[in-house]
Amino acid sequence: MDGMTTSLVGLARFGRHASAVCVRSVTPPWSVADVAHHTWLLATRCALPVVAVVFPAGMVIALQGLLVFEAFGAERLLSSLVSVAVFRELSPVLASVLVAAQGGSAFAAELGAMKIREELDATAVMAVDPVRVHVVPRFLAALIATPMLHLVGCMAGVCGAWLVAVGFKGQTDGVFWANLWGLSRPVDLFGSLLKTVVFGALIGLIATYKGVQASGGAAGVGRAVNDTVVVAITSFIVANYFLTSALFGALR
Amino acid sequence: MNALATFGRFGWFVADVVAASLRHPLPWRRTIEEAWRIGVRSLPILVTISFFVGTNLALQGYAAFAPMGGQALLGMFVALAGVRELAPIMVAAMVAAKAGTEMASQIAVMRIREQIDALEVMAVDPLWFLITPRALGIVLVLPALTVVSIFTVIASSALVAVVQLGEPGVPFLQRVWATTSGLDLLVCSVKAAAFGTLICLVSCYFGYTSKPGPAGVGSATNAAVVVSAVACAILNYFISELAYG
């Protein structure tokens, strides 16, 4: 019962944090320079990990897909499957996992360290709203950078699949590219972009919440980072199911 | 250049850990403790993640195959994509996020509080005392977690296939059964053990070499999860290529 109460209180606190951040995100004054700075930082930090994870994932899809399609003599459908899998599901999820692991945990670490060193309190004492100055730019950066990284992931995944299918397994180059859009439509890409915007927002909110709530010295910062990654990944994978049902269920 | 130097230092670290583990008797009690902690703590989160990965797999497979009239292939798709590829890599990602970050931050905190130096002063080998049990524990427990994850993925995708998509349940499960084999479970367990070793060593390395202060612990934890996720994704391709390619 006690644990239940604690988690309900935590949820309520998170709701208050989320509404505070959202209200400040849509009301002026905005600090465009800060948002751009954090977006750039997040995108450059995450781009390499996203490529390094989605590229081998694309390679694996091509490997397993070829095994299946060879059994039916339908190898030409490989790139159609790759595009569906990468655009709709793999790239949004894996890109968001890495944004949570790399960007979200960095946000939690930075804000947590600021909180422990009482820099957030110092900001408030100077009559500067710490949420507006430190939290909102990071939240907006996660919101903006995640879809961009998703697009990077899409390209990396398709290139990975191309490398295995054409490079290693000797499929014809033209067949690969001609069938790429066989099953997926531009709507799929827009749907998945919408998903990544939601995932990015979730990551931004959870990371900044865990950061500003950190307590208990260096160990507290470590705990905040740990919690951020776990909670963010779990919550957007749960959200993913409902978004997929809503988006692609309706689009079918 | 910097990355290359880190890679080299990581290699030395691994060699040191292996040497330390061989030099001393194996710490069985601590190993069981760590295995229990990693396994029990990661289990709820792992089941949640696997459940929703399975539901999405069924939805997306259906969306891809239904236009061609290939709904019957859904079971095969779930078995191939879910059991062979997604389950091990999702387990690895979650264990990296949960247990890996925990190891990194614990060891980093010990480092900056000079507890690791204190161990050395007491003539206890810190690598053997802190890292060997964690590495052995994760290798023991991760294959079991992967099997749990595989069954969760199959169950949740069957649930979505039957309840949400209105597919017949028995042929679906028969397809899954026909496509998977004992070899798949074996490969998944090997993958899980390999990912576990990698996650543990990478996370412990970043924790062990943490910079002082809260910011140092934060960035060590951060680096641990990203590097181990990337390393697992790359290793996954090579194991798949060897096993199925």
Side-chain angles (χ1 to χ4, degrees), chain A residues 52 56 59-60 63-64 68 88-89 101-102 105-106 117 168 218-219 225-226 229-230 234 237-238 240-241 244-245, chain B residues 45 52 55-56 59-60 63 76 80 84-85 90 97 101-102 109 112 164 215 221-222 225-226 230 233 237 241 244:
Chain A
M59 291 170 78
V60 169
L63 193 72
Q64 298 284 8
V68 178
R88 281 195 194 164
E89 205 56 41
Q102 174 77 306
S105 63
R117 291 189 200 127
F168 298 164
V225 175
N226 187 344
V229 181
V230 174
T234 313
I237 283 191
V238 174
N240 186 24
Y241 166 68
T244 305
S245 285
Chain B
I45 214 114
F52 283 96
T55 56
N56 260 45
L59 281 183
Q60 297 288 12
M76 192 176 74
L80 284 182
R84 280 194 188 170
E85 295 302 334
M90 286 314 292
T101 52
E102 216 167 61
V109 169
I112 64 172
Q164 193 174 355
T221 314
N222 183 348
V225 56
V226 174
V230 170
Y237 170 74
E241 171 74 48
Y244 303 115

Side-chain angles (χ1 to χ4, degrees), chain B residues 198-217:
Chain B
L198 204 58
I199 290 168
C200 176
L201 289 174
V202 168
S203 304
C204 291
Y205 171 75
F206 281 108
Y208 206 74
T209 54
S210 166
K211 305 252 178 337
V217 175

Side-chain angles (χ1 to χ4, degrees), chain B residues 58-81:
Chain B
L59 281 183
Q60 297 288 12
Y62 187 82
F65 288 124
M68 307 188 289
Q71 291 96 321
L73 292 179
L74 191 59
M76 192 176 74
F77 177 72
V78 166
L80 284 182

Side-chain angles (χ1 to χ4, degrees), chain A residues 183-250:
Chain A
L183 290 175
S184 49
R185 288 157 299 165
V187 185
D188 291 336
L189 204 56
F190 295 132
S192 63
L193 277 174
L194 188 65
K195 281 209 284 194
T196 48
V197 171
V198 177
F199 296 170
L202 274 175
I203 295 168
L205 285 176
I206 292 170
T208 51
Y209 172 72
K210 290 288 179 194
V212 297
Q213 291 283 327
S215 61
V221 176
R223 219 167 26 241
V225 175
N226 187 344
D227 285 353
T228 298
V229 181
V230 174
V231 175
I233 292 179
T234 313
S235 55
F236 76 67
I237 283 191
V238 174
N240 186 24
Y241 166 68
F242 294 104
L243 281 172
T244 305
S245 285
L247 283 173
F248 297 117

